[in-house]
Structures are given as C-alpha cells and as structure tokens.
Amino acid sequence: MERLGTGIGWRPEIADAVERMPGIDWVEAVAENVCPGHLPDSLRRLRERGVTVVPHGVSLGLGGADRPDAGRLTALAERAEALGSPLVTEHIAFVRAGGPLTASPHLEAGHLLPVPRTRDALDVLCENVRIAQDALPVPLAVENIAALIGWPGEEMTEGQFLYELADRTGVRLLIDVANLHTNHVNRGEDPSKALAELPLEAIAYVHVAGGFERDGVWHDSHAHPVPRPVLDILTDLASRVSPPGVLLERDENFPAPAELEHELRTIRRALEAGAVERVKAELRAAAGTAPGSRGDALFAAAGGGGRGLLVEAGAARQEGARGVPDGPGTGAVRRGDETGAAEATRGAFGRPHQEEVDGARQRLALAQAALLSALVAGTPVPEGFDRVRIGVQARALAAKRADVVAKVAPELPVILGDGYRTAFLGYAQTHPMTSGYRRDALTFAEYLLSTGRPGDTVARRELREWWLDRSGPAPRSRRPAHRLARATRRVLSRR
C-alpha cells in the first residue's frame, strides 16, 4: 500500500482553501458528488499538481442483505479511473432494506446504519466485498462506522469482526478513530481493545473528525473541531503502526482555513506522539527490556524523540522481530513492520457454501428490514433493541433527511420559509424514503400540494411551479425567455 501522507476531505465549500493549504498530500472526495466526465476544476488542478484524489463512496451498502448493485459499482469504478486513484473506499454499513428478499416495500435510510456483528452478517459482507473487489479497477478499503444503536445477540467485537473480514477477503481497512470514540460513548466499547484486535497491516488510511455530545449520546457530526479523546485514539493507533495516510473530515459548518490548518497540525502532532511511543517500544523489544529500563535510556540518549531515531529504530525492529510472524492470513507481516495493507494472499479458507450464504442473506434481510422500518416508518421496535436509542436514531435520520433535501432542493426552504422544517418532519413521519433525496424532495412537494399547503396562495403557486418544472423528464420549456417570464411573474406577484 503506497503511503498517502496527510490529507483533508475535499468539499466544494472549501475547495479554494484546500488548494492553498500547505502540506496537503492528498484529498478524499465523496464519490457520488463527482461526475467523471465533468470533474470540478479544483480537483483537476490538484491532480495536475500531483495530489492524490481518493473517491469515498457512501451509497453502496456493502453491509446490506442484497448483493451490491452493478450500476453503483460501475459508477464507483468510473470515478476511480477518472481521478487516477490508487484505491477506492466505502463503508461497512447498510443503507437500504426491504424489496424482493423480504417481499416488503423498499426503504432507504439516507444514512449509514450498523451491521450486526454476527456470523450471518459477516458471511454476507464477505461475499459482497468480493463482488465489489472483482468489479473495481483498484483496491477497495472499507470503513468502520459510528453507531447510535447496537444489535442484540452480537457474536464478535468490532476488532474481531474487522479481523475476520480482512482475513477472509484481503480487503483493506479505513479506520475512523472518531467512530471508535463514538462507539465508546454510545456503546461502551473500548477503543484500545478494538485497536489491539485489528489487523494493523491491513490499514489503508485513517479518518479523523469531530462531533458533539448531547444527553449522553455522541453525534459524529463532522461539523465540529476534533476533540482530545479522538486525538488520543489516533496517538494510540500510531503507537502500534505507522498508518499510510491520515485524513481530516469536515462536511459542514466549515471554519476559516486557518482553523482547518491548525487542526491538521494538531493531527500531525498526535501522530508524532504515537510514533515516539512506537519507537520506544521497538527499542525496548530490541534490547529485551521492560518499560523504564534500557530501551527508554537508549531513547533518552538519542535526544528524546528526534525524527532521526525513527530510521535507527527500523533496523532494530527488523533485527528484534526477525522470523516472528504476527497477523492474520498466510505470510503476514511482522508486528511493528506494518506500513499499510499486507501484500500477503488471504485465501478462501473457511468460506461457507453458497447455500449457507443465501440463507444468511434471507435472515439478514428480514432483520435489517424490521429495524429500518422501525426507524423510518414507525413500525414496532424489534425485540432486543433499546427503544430509547431507536427513538434517538429515528429523529436523527429525519433531521438529516430534512437537511439534505434542503441542500439538493434549496428553493423549498425559500418558498416555505420558517415552516419548511416543521412541514418536512411531519411529512417524514408518514412517508419513508424509497429512493434518493431528489425524488424525496419532489414527493414532499406533491404531499404538500395534495393537502392544500402551504396556506399562503403565492407560496403555493410557487411550489406548484417548482414541482411542475422538475417532475417531468425535462423542464416544461427549454427556452430561456419562457423560464425568465415565469420567474418575473413570480417576483412581481410578491409585490
């Protein structure tokens, strides 16, 4: 795995600032927001400067019961090729449920939801990952997600689940340390234990992001500064392995460029602190001593953490660890010698028979459909789930849905004014999302118009015009003069 360095999530709102930031080695772009035939000028300029661009998918749903959609895989492959990317990334999550496997309505979550850490879910996920790997022109890495809720009856920890996934498929891992913190707060999981169980040699890169806590629940918002506990987890990870890349994620509420640059410097310092601890451990191992003895004395004598010591430690590490395998799969790299995803071949040992996977798909499909229906359609909460947490997650999904619809159809909040959010949340209670956000915006407008809303005649007329312009296969008139005339009439009617 090639080393990526330090990067930041590329977003249109901060595109100009990212181009000017010092020390940016690579960027990550949301795959679904990039059109291969019309790359944003900012991304083209970054690529021309030699900055690596990695497409990051959010809608594949590899953790779902259905096999990955061929069209979505093709689209992801096209983006990887258009950007000249060394790899693509996605999430260990499900984002939709229902449909033929359950003979129930198709439902979209509009969000990344956790996969149960069970043998059934692992078997399905492994087959889905293999399907994706076969369809993509570059290696795939998958990300651990943040969760508000936990599945009852889980059979593995997060670290064990990821280890098994990497061992059975050879997939690389994108480790989000902010998500490890989220799961610590929300699910009581120990980040250090998760890191100890991970196949460190499979790590492709690392995500770092901020969030906030409310009523004992951590929300992975990507809209707040990176907190100290997340940086501490990053340091812990860096004390175990040198990650090939680290990336700062920020999706909204963007601060001044200087603040983002400050966060990047803080992330680099956290990595350096971890590297110092890793070198000290390697020197102790080479000297065969315990903490506080000769290894630490060697470190202090070398100047207490100079960068040159990292080079010296490499030789000591290889000498001290020679011939000692440590890691999943055959031919795994030695502990301390990890520099990215292992090149070792991971075979299909223990792969279940196809009929077993098909049965697992059926069971997983029923479980995921029941959970998603409770979250977005108000059906009873499945047995074993925390009802309070299900309520928190359901409200969070509805709020995110309202926010995203406002972004993809910005005219709606303008037309509806302060009543937009209340109207949308009322609509969402009885209208689960069954397609994408643009279709959701149209269905919302249809719902309001069918119930005689909004009450203001002018606003209702504007909403009807908006809906008519977008509900057909093409705008009602492609002639600019006609569209200008309609817009003028709307403006004059407000006077």
Side-chain angles (χ1 to χ4, degrees), residues 184-195:
H184 169 64
V185 176
N186 294 347
R187 301 177 60 170
E189 298 175 356
D190 183 357
S192 183
K193 183 174 186 291
L195 292 176

Side-chain angles (χ1 to χ4, degrees), residues 4-8 26 204-208 234 237 243-248 264 267 271:
L4 294 168
T6 303
I8 189 169
W26 66 291
Y205 62 87
V206 177
H207 271 175
V208 183
L234 177 62
L237 185 150
V246 179
L247 181 126
L248 171 64
L264 287 166
I267 287 169
L271 286 170

Side-chain angles (χ1 to χ4, degrees), residues 10-329:
W10 182 92
R11 303 292 183 267
E13 296 90 340
I14 56 172
D16 291 341
V18 169
E19 286 190 67
R20 294 191 296 268
M21 282 182 187
I24 296 297
D25 302 308
W26 66 291
V27 299
E28 181 190 77
V30 176
E32 288 79 358
N33 294 344
V34 175
C35 179
H38 303 280
L39 294 179
D41 290 340
S42 173
L43 284 182
R44 287 194 300 100
R45 288 191 292 268
L46 287 169
R47 289 183 62 238
E48 289 167 0
R49 283 167 38 191
V51 175
T52 299
V53 182
V54 175
H56 185 54
V58 297
S59 64
L60 201 52
L62 289 172
D66 290 316
R67 289 176 174 81
D69 179 76
R72 294 181 188 276
L73 284 172
T74 298
L76 190 55
E78 289 172 348
R79 283 150 179 79
E81 291 175 333
L83 294 167
S85 306
L87 79 162
V88 297
T89 58
E90 250 288 355
H91 297 83
I92 301 170
F94 81 100
V95 297
R96 58 188 64 87
L101 274 175
T102 58
S104 62
H106 175 87
L107 297 173
E108 290 280 341
H111 188 69
L112 302 167
L113 294 176
V115 174
R117 299 169 194 157
T118 61
R119 288 291 165 188
D120 273 358
L122 180 62
D123 289 346
V124 172
L125 176 61
C126 286
E127 185 173 75
N128 287 351
V129 164
R130 292 189 194 103
I131 292 170
Q133 288 171 319
D134 290 343
L136 295 169
V138 293
L140 170 69
V142 290
E143 179 182 355
N144 60 303
I145 72 162
L148 284 173
I149 55 177
W151 285 80
E154 292 193 322
E155 300 164 352
M156 287 170 271
T157 64
E158 180 160 44
Q160 292 167 344
F161 192 81
L162 294 174
Y163 187 106
E164 289 260 355
L165 174 64
D167 192 46
R168 288 169 56 174
T169 66
V171 73
R172 306 178 193 278
L173 299 177
L174 192 180
I175 298 301
D176 191 316
V177 292
N179 291 348
L180 292 179
H181 174 66
T182 301
N183 294 343
H184 169 64
V185 176
N186 294 347
R187 301 177 60 170
E189 298 175 356
D190 183 357
S192 183
K193 183 174 186 291
L195 292 176
E197 293 174 338
L198 287 178
L200 297 176
E201 76 281 1
I203 294 177
Y205 62 87
V206 177
H207 271 175
V208 183
F212 66 95
E213 187 172 352
R214 178 186 295 154
D215 299 328
V217 174
W218 186 267
H219 297 268
D220 182 47
S221 66
H222 293 192
H224 296 78
V226 179
R228 173 48 54 185
V230 171
L231 293 169
D232 289 343
I233 298 172
L234 177 62
T235 296
D236 187 2
L237 185 150
S239 74
R240 303 166 188 266
V241 66
S242 175
V246 179
L247 181 126
L248 171 64
E249 284 191 296
R250 190 71 176 242
D251 291 335
E252 54 187 328
N253 191 25
F254 298 102
E259 291 186 44
L260 292 175
E261 291 172 18
H262 172 73
E263 285 207 281
L264 287 166
R265 288 194 296 271
T266 303
I267 287 169
R268 292 187 184 100
R269 287 196 293 270
L271 286 170
E272 289 170 0
V276 166
E277 293 304 313
R278 189 173 71 252
V279 168
K280 290 167 67 175
E282 290 166 355
L283 287 173
R284 286 195 296 266
T289 57
S293 54
R294 187 181 169 217
D296 286 343
L298 286 171
F299 181 81
R307 292 178 184 268
L309 191 59
L310 297 176
V311 178
E312 296 175 25
R317 176 186 63 224
Q318 292 174 14
E319 181 65 28
R322 181 172 294 132
V324 182
D326 184 28

